[in-house]
Amino acid sequence: MPITILPPKAFRDQPPRRNLNHDSDDVMSDATSDSEDSDSQPGGVSLDGGVTIHPRKRRSAAAASSTFTKRPKTNVTSSVPRSAIVTPGERITTDPQWMRGHGTYLSSASLGEQAITSSLAGIVTRTNKLLSVRPLRARYTPEVGDLVVGRIVEVQAKRWRVDVGSTQLAALPLSAINLPGGILRKRTETDELQIRTFFAEGDLVVAEVQQLFQDGGAVLHTRSLKYGKLRNGVFMAVSGTGGGGGVVRSRRQVWTLEAANNGGPIDVILGVNGYVWISKHVEPVVPEEAKGQTGITNLEEVVSATMYSSQNDRIEPETMREIARIRGVVTALVENGLRVDEDMVTKGYNEAVELALVSADGPEDVYLGGERGEQLAAALTAV
Amino acid sequence: MPLDTSAYSLALLRVDGRRWNELRRIHAQIRTQAAADGSSYLEMGHTKVMCVVNGPSEPGPRRGATSGGGGGGGQSKNAEVAVNIVIAGFSSVDRKRRGRGDKHILELQSTISQALAASLHTHLFPHSTINISLHVLSQDGSLLAALINAATLACVDAGIPMTDYVAACTAGSTSTYAANDEGADPLLDMNHQEEQELPGLTVATLGDSDRVAVLVCESRVQVSRLEGMLAVGVDGCKQVREILDRVVREKGIKMIQEGTVERGVGLNDMELD
């Protein structure tokens, strides 16, 4: 059977393989030179972990080509140098003056020297003498004071377990919520028995990180009128702080937006963990009989009566449409790698309203995917 | 057609035209699925594999125990690495029905789980689970190697700290066990046909070092040939690592260019003060 030998095709994704007429002894030299002990006997296995291997049989000239040589660095046609990011296992420095931070570990370099090595694909950041690697993308890591949106996944005896998009579930103790009836009300055993009347599985809450455990777990609290159960809106999960785009920590995570097209006021809550809540703005209802009374805790008392309700209010179709439009804006921002904060969402929303006006369907058109999203992103980055 | 070994001895070319120490084309992508924490797609020749990583995250209360064995999970101090492999019915030439409890798949799962658990820094994520889901779309040999490489890439994309890449490839020998052929050559990166005919092993190493993370040999091979095969395999792993590393770098640089991630301090700037 005749065989035609074709030269291997050069693929775009693969570097040109060097087919050189190496002397056959060079073939394995890379494998052996890596470990220090040069064992001249074939079949030597050093006990310190590195395996030194000599091939029993070597072919000469015809078949020998370089198995592994230092690859020429591929030309990245850009201003960003290859050293801009580090990848797992890449040695950052052996200089002992630096301390290692997150995303790094110590590995032993030669001669008992310790090298700070990256354990992530990301960028190197420096805080004084502390070196850390910020990942290109990772899950949310909680910090004290973060405003987060979460979902209750488990109800326990005295606390709830909340999914906040972190590596662990956060805890929300019964003692850290505002009980109906004002701040001064004492927590009783009845409350423990009725724990599901406050939050049940699947409920969405907005809360603040109060405390962190040593292992990275978070404890939340909702002891403010700003926090508590969420209703009248739509939930969306985008990537949060920790790496990549998405929601960033900023001065204001919660604000009310006056929607166009008779949409009325709309609340936007950007959880630092990347969970977003967009809802109709509802003014706290003060019943007639309570209006005459005075007192510091009065408002809180009245408001807290409706605080743990899971019943949605009536939402006008116009409001729903504008909520959907804001949701589209946030999705478009994330898809195009832009940061999500008050400024961008507000600008993006105004831009989206303009875009809808010129579209065929008029202001009712809330579609912001695909080209429309790119158009929106382009308009925002141009400003 | 059996592997034409006579042709090999003449031209020193394998059935698919490669030389003994050449890898097949490796094409890889990361961040293929927006919804997942990490994802990758990898082709080694015609072996095509997709991987999705979710986690580390704490499983909810009502979830059953997952398969896999690396690390403890649950209330333990280390994250559990749970691997789930799905082999598509259309992936190979004959449509084989593989049940959930298929021993072959279970073994692949536990091998990958243990290999990755050793490289990933699971101690940073107590009580949590890293769910790795692998889908085999097309099979043409070196399946375990492709699965390990895809899983490693997806874990890098998910931003899970690890000691180094776990890069894998296969190695074989040009003669069968029975043939007492002194001139047997080691082969790198076997395709399906070669795997059927010839003895082979899968080897995975940790990064640039010679530290072997996985070594699986399921065929009879003469012990004198093993060493050469292992050497070629370890060497192939380094080439694979370079390819994987380049995929990650290119994606990272692209993200910096797009402004998704701001630039960090360059390594050279640090030496200034």
Side-chain angles (χ1 to χ4, degrees):
Chain A
M1 188 173 77
I3 295 178
T4 31
I5 302 171
L6 296 168
K9 262 188 193 153
F11 287 97
R12 195 169 46 83
D13 294 308
Q14 214 163 348
R17 201 176 272 127
R18 287 169 55 186
N19 281 329
L20 302 174
N21 287 331
H22 269 265
D23 189 277
S24 60
D25 283 329
D26 282 350
V27 171
M28 275 331 210
S29 64
D30 282 302
T32 49
S33 64
D34 280 357
S35 58
E36 260 68 57
D37 61 329
S38 53
D39 193 351
S40 58
Q41 291 299 309
V45 175
S46 62
L47 292 174
D48 53 15
V51 188
T52 325
I53 298 152
H54 299 261
R56 193 187 57 82
K57 180 90 175 72
R58 288 166 183 158
R59 295 304 280 204
S60 54
S65 65
S66 72
T67 49
F68 178 70
T69 45
K70 277 279 175 261
R71 231 159 267 277
K73 289 197 171 173
T74 44
N75 293 325
V76 180
T77 51
S78 70
S79 57
V80 184
R82 281 182 71 83
S83 61
I85 80 159
V86 289
T87 52
E90 185 172 334
R91 198 165 290 174
I92 299 172
T93 179
T94 49
D95 195 335
Q97 69 162 320
W98 301 102
M99 293 193 300
R100 74 177 190 93
H102 288 293
T104 61
Y105 67 97
L106 284 175
S107 69
S108 53
S110 57
L111 302 167
E113 208 178 19
Q114 297 268 293
I116 296 179
T117 313
S118 172
S119 64
L120 292 168
I123 53 170
V124 178
T125 54
R126 186 181 63 179
T127 318
N128 295 327
K129 291 284 175 195
L130 185 76
L131 286 184
S132 41
V133 177
R134 285 241 307 278
L136 295 173
R137 181 166 70 165
R139 288 177 81 89
Y140 164 66
T141 34
E143 275 177 35
V144 172
D146 280 352
L147 180 121
V148 295
V149 173
R151 190 184 289 277
I152 309 281
V153 293
E154 193 180 352
V155 181
Q156 292 176 344
K158 287 181 183 176
R159 60 174 191 173
W160 293 272
R161 304 281 273 151
V162 190
D163 166 35
V164 289
S166 174
T167 58
Q168 289 174 56
L169 298 178
L172 175 63
L174 183 59
S175 56
I177 67 164
N178 264 347
L179 294 164
I183 314 176
L184 296 175
R185 184 153 95 69
K186 220 179 153 203
R187 180 166 53 91
T188 60
E189 277 183 22
T190 327
D191 292 326
E192 279 175 30
L193 293 173
Q194 295 180 338
I195 190 164
R196 270 201 179 76
T197 60
F198 306 122
F199 297 119
E201 290 92 341
D203 284 351
L204 286 160
V205 291
V206 54
E208 190 181 288
V209 178
Q210 185 173 35
Q211 189 191 334
L212 287 181
F213 288 127
Q214 194 69 45
D215 60 9
V219 182
L220 310 178
H221 80 94
T222 63
R223 281 202 166 271
S224 162
L225 282 182
K226 295 184 288 184
Y227 306 140
K229 190 177 272 189
L230 293 170
R231 56 201 185 102
N232 295 331
V234 61
F235 171 83
M236 59 186 299
V238 303
S239 64
T241 314
V247 181
V248 292
R249 287 195 181 89
S250 58
R251 228 157 11 96
R252 276 219 294 183
Q253 306 283 153
V254 182
W255 75 97
T256 307
L257 196 114
E258 195 56 46
N261 309 324
N262 303 322
I266 290 174
D267 284 335
V268 182
I269 301 174
L270 300 176
V272 179
N273 56 344
Y275 289 176
V276 178
W277 181 257
I278 306 161
S279 65
K280 178 187 173 185
H281 179 74
V282 181
E283 289 293 338
V285 197
V286 181
E288 283 301 318
E289 64 267 27
K291 273 184 178 163
Q293 298 171 17
T294 48
I296 301 167
T297 58
N298 189 16
L299 182 65
E300 279 170 2
E301 270 173 43
V302 171
V303 168
S304 58
T306 57
M307 198 170 189
Y308 293 104
S309 160
S310 295
Q311 195 63 45
N312 275 347
D313 297 320
R314 180 180 159 71
I315 306 171
E316 303 301 325
E318 291 79 17
T319 314
M320 287 192 190
R321 192 167 53 225
E322 296 314 307
I323 288 175
R325 200 191 304 279
I326 296 173
R327 188 183 182 283
V329 169
V330 176
T331 318
L333 288 176
V334 172
E335 275 176 5
N336 293 288
L338 297 170
R339 67 179 196 281
V340 180
D341 58 12
E342 184 191 356
D343 185 45
M344 290 296 269
V345 172
T346 316
K347 273 189 195 162
Y349 176 70
N350 294 335
E351 198 66 42
V353 171
E354 298 288 312
L355 275 179
L357 283 178
V358 298
S359 82
D361 292 342
E364 293 197 4
D365 187 5
V366 295
Y367 177 69
L368 285 168
E371 278 179 18
R372 207 69 83 70
E374 284 165 21
Q375 211 178 327
L376 179 73
L380 286 174
T381 43
V383 179
Chain B
M1 186 194 82
L3 185 65
D4 196 346
T5 42
S6 60
Y8 181 80
S9 63
L10 285 174
L12 296 169
L13 286 172
R14 291 148 73 176
V15 275
D16 52 7
R18 283 182 292 154
R19 295 180 194 281
W20 64 274
N21 58 358
E22 281 180 342
L23 286 172
R24 290 175 290 176
R25 183 181 86 110
I26 297 183
H27 167 78
Q29 281 171 271
I30 58 170
R31 191 144 325 167
T32 48
Q33 323 248 316
D37 286 318
S39 51
S40 68
Y41 172 77
L42 181 110
E43 290 177 11
M44 284 175 85
H46 288 121
T47 302
K48 298 173 187 177
V49 175
M50 217 164 67
C51 182
V52 169
V53 169
N54 270 303
S57 58
E58 196 168 338
R62 275 185 303 277
R63 287 214 205 129
T66 39
S67 65
Q75 290 307 304
S76 84
K77 281 185 176 169
N78 295 327
E80 180 193 0
V81 181
V83 179
N84 183 39
I85 299 175
V86 179
I87 298 185
F90 52 80
S91 63
S92 60
V93 182
D94 48 340
R95 206 171 249 276
K96 238 184 279 175
R97 184 100 190 116
R98 288 191 189 272
R100 185 167 300 218
D102 187 285
K103 290 275 163 48
H104 181 61
I105 295 180
L106 287 181
E107 193 188 346
L108 288 176
Q109 287 177 353
S110 89
T111 309
I112 296 169
S113 164
Q114 284 172 17
L116 285 173
S119 175
L120 297 175
H121 292 177
T122 52
H123 62 275
L124 297 172
F125 308 108
H127 326 305
S128 33
T129 308
I130 300 164
N131 279 302
I132 301 176
S133 176
L134 287 150
H135 289 251
V136 179
L137 306 177
S138 168
Q139 294 186 66
D140 185 26
S142 304
L143 181 63
L144 176 59
L147 290 171
I148 290 174
N149 293 335
T152 304
L153 273 184
C155 286
V156 172
D157 181 34
I160 305 171
M162 59 172 74
T163 312
D164 210 326
Y165 292 89
V166 183
C169 74
T170 53
S173 180
T174 46
S175 284
T176 54
Y177 175 74
N180 203 4
D181 181 9
E182 274 302 307
D185 260 346
L187 294 178
L188 182 63
D189 195 14
M190 301 170 83
N191 62 23
H192 179 69
Q193 201 183 354
E194 287 166 340
E195 261 182 3
Q196 294 286 309
E197 311 270 339
L198 301 170
L201 52 81
T202 301
V203 59
T205 61
L206 197 60
D208 260 341
S209 67
D210 283 340
R211 279 149 68 193
V212 174
V214 175
L215 182 60
V216 177
C217 182
E218 289 171 331
S219 51
R220 284 154 67 87
V221 58
Q222 285 181 6
V223 74
S224 53
R225 292 180 192 153
L226 187 69
E227 209 177 291
M229 285 162 66
L230 194 54
V232 168
V234 166
D235 204 68
C237 289
K238 290 181 184 170
Q239 297 184 47
V240 172
R241 186 202 181 272
E242 285 295 302
I243 294 167
L244 301 186
D245 192 52
R246 198 167 52 243
V247 170
V248 173
R249 269 178 204 283
E250 275 165 14
K251 183 72 187 179
I253 287 168
K254 196 162 158 250
M255 283 179 78
I256 292 176
Q257 279 171 338
E258 284 171 353
T260 319
V261 187
E262 68 265 46
R263 290 178 63 169
V265 292
L267 296 188
N268 302 326
D269 315 343
M270 283 192 301
E271 263 55 69
L272 292 177
D273 55 83

